[in-house]
Amino acid sequence: MKHLLKMLDLSTEEIIDILNLADQLKYELKHGIPHPHLKGKTLGMIFQKASTRTRVSFETGMYQLGGYPLFLSSNDLQIGRGEPVQDTARVLSRYLSGIMIRTFEQKEVEDLAEYGNIPIINGLTDFSHPCQVLADLMTIREFKGSFDGLKMCFIGDGNNMANSLIVGCLKVGMAVSIACPDDYQPPKEILDFASQYDCFSMTNSPMEAAKGADVLITDVWASMGQEGEAEKRKAAFAGYQINDELMAAANEGAMVLHCLPAHREEEITSKVFEEHANEIFEEAENRLHAQKAVMVKLMAD
Ligand code: CP
Ligand code: NVA
């Protein structure tokens, strides 16, 4: 594994290795055991979109690993004024040990990896959010003990989260169902991948998708960059909500996850959100541990 660009690139074994290391790093952090695997290394963090969790967890994680994180807002970089990503990649490769980037197009992340010669980590694109899904898988395994026999159900937009969850959950052996409006299905590349699995299903009925689910996950109806479509999307996604009725269709003891930020009473009710807050905020914490594991795998000597 040279980069973390999207879940489609990872093998099942690589995913499990990252999760095992993440569990170990979480244990070490909780027990005050130092783990300076990235002493002397630097991570550039390019943000073309807002972030709370990704920024703070990468920055803190790098510090805990003995390295140094640099926050690089695209407003201040020449990339924000049109310098090509191919040139940015070749310059930054000469200063840094690795780059985390949050941007719009997946191609930009793939180009950074192609033109640079240091590890590239996707901190969210319109297509993919692999760091979040590694943390989600870590959280599911932590609460449920294993992935065996579990079904994950995603309700809502066929977006970066849906794409990455479908691939990640299928790769670790979970069954997957997704409920999305017909006009908001995941891209063909993801559906082609999922169609290899008998345990994948897609419907436009949230109730049908939630039946027998052990983990229910949703995400905002309008992602970053889609603010202008918010009203249109509100109408299209009405009913695509995790609420008491949906929870009643799921298996007893089903978990609820949300990558955050959440829009209460849109994709999830406040009641369900608060009843599952322990899982949702453990999931947020696990971003730190999962990303530290990714950085160690990619950047340690
Ligand atoms: N879930 C997530 O990526 O959060 P941020 O946008 O705050 O980084
Ligand atoms: N789908 C959301 C996820 C935010 C973490 C977005 O892209 O804005």
Side-chain angles (χ1 to χ4, degrees):
M1 179 175 141
K2 277 164 68 183
H3 306 284
L4 177 64
L5 307 181
K6 54 186 182 298
M7 291 307 290
L8 282 167
D9 297 340
L10 297 183
S11 67
T12 301
E13 194 184 11
E14 284 170 331
I15 296 172
I16 300 297
D17 274 356
I18 292 168
L19 301 185
N20 291 345
L21 180 57
D23 285 349
Q24 184 190 325
L25 292 170
K26 183 171 185 174
Y27 176 89
E28 289 178 0
L29 187 69
K30 303 270 173 198
H31 291 81
I33 302 167
H35 39 263
H37 302 293
L38 297 183
K39 196 164 183 297
K41 306 274 182 181
T42 50
L43 178 78
M45 308 188 306
I46 303 175
F47 282 92
Q48 311 228 35
K49 290 176 175 170
S51 170
T52 296
R53 281 144 288 269
T54 305
R55 178 185 172 176
V56 178
S57 56
F58 264 106
E59 197 159 332
T60 308
M62 194 58 185
Y63 173 76
Q64 291 171 358
L65 289 166
Y68 184 78
L70 289 89
F71 173 70
L72 305 168
S73 161
S74 60
N75 295 333
D76 305 325
L77 293 177
Q78 296 287 10
I79 207 171
R81 296 179 56 247
E83 183 170 15
V85 72
Q86 295 88 333
D87 297 355
T88 307
R90 284 176 285 188
V91 172
L92 294 184
S93 289
R94 290 167 186 256
Y95 305 140
L96 299 166
S97 320
I99 296 175
M100 192 289 305
I101 178 166
R102 166 168 287 198
T103 189
F104 294 87
E105 282 184 41
Q106 180 71 18
K107 184 170 184 313
E108 205 172 326
V109 177
E110 306 273 345
D111 281 353
L112 261 189
E114 186 182 338
Y115 286 89
N117 58 9
I118 54 175
I120 305 298
I121 300 171
N122 179 350
L124 182 147
T125 60
D126 293 344
F127 177 71
S128 186
H129 199 0
C131 293
Q132 180 68 55
V133 168
L134 289 169
D136 292 5
L137 293 175
M138 179 181 176
T139 312
I140 293 168
R141 197 171 70 161
E142 193 173 319
F143 277 82
K144 295 286 186 189
S146 91
F147 299 118
D148 292 347
L150 297 183
K151 173 177 169 180
M152 187 284 293
C153 162
F154 181 89
I155 304 289
D157 191 13
N159 64 10
N160 44 14
M161 278 305 300
N163 296 346
S164 307
L165 281 166
I166 290 169
V167 176
C169 291
L170 288 173
K171 283 193 174 186
V172 299
M174 295 172 73
V176 171
S177 63
I178 161 163
C180 54
D182 292 342
D183 292 341
Y184 295 92
Q185 292 180 355
K188 183 173 180 305
E189 191 178 351
I190 299 296
L191 295 181
D192 284 349
F193 170 84
S195 68
Q196 305 168 70
Y197 292 80
D198 290 340
C199 57
F200 173 76
S201 63
M202 184 168 70
T203 164
N204 53 22
S205 160
M207 200 51 102
E208 196 181 311
K211 270 185 207 148
D214 303 286
V215 187
L216 288 104
I217 309 185
T218 187
D219 186 17
V220 290
W221 293 341
S223 287
M224 288 183 278
Q226 298 170 337
E227 290 79 4
E229 297 175 24
E231 284 312 308
K232 183 179 144 207
R233 284 173 167 268
K234 258 186 196 168
F237 286 98
Y240 287 81
Q241 182 187 63
I242 300 188
N243 52 31
D244 280 344
E245 291 75 53
L246 227 61
M247 293 307 296
N251 278 347
E252 207 174 317
M255 295 174 68
V256 174
L257 296 178
H258 194 306
C259 64
L260 304 175
H263 290 189
R264 289 167 172 78
E265 311 310 336
E266 291 189 8
E267 75 274 6
I268 188 166
T269 59
S270 297
K271 182 167 177 285
V272 173
F273 184 95
E274 292 304 334
E275 282 168 0
H276 293 270
N278 60 330
E279 293 150 13
I280 292 168
F281 290 103
E282 200 68 33
E283 173 190 16
E285 177 185 324
N286 285 341
R287 292 291 303 277
L288 172 70
H289 311 299
Q291 288 159 194
K292 282 168 71 180
V294 168
M295 290 193 283
V296 171
K297 291 273 177 206
L298 293 177
M299 292 162 62
D301 292 325

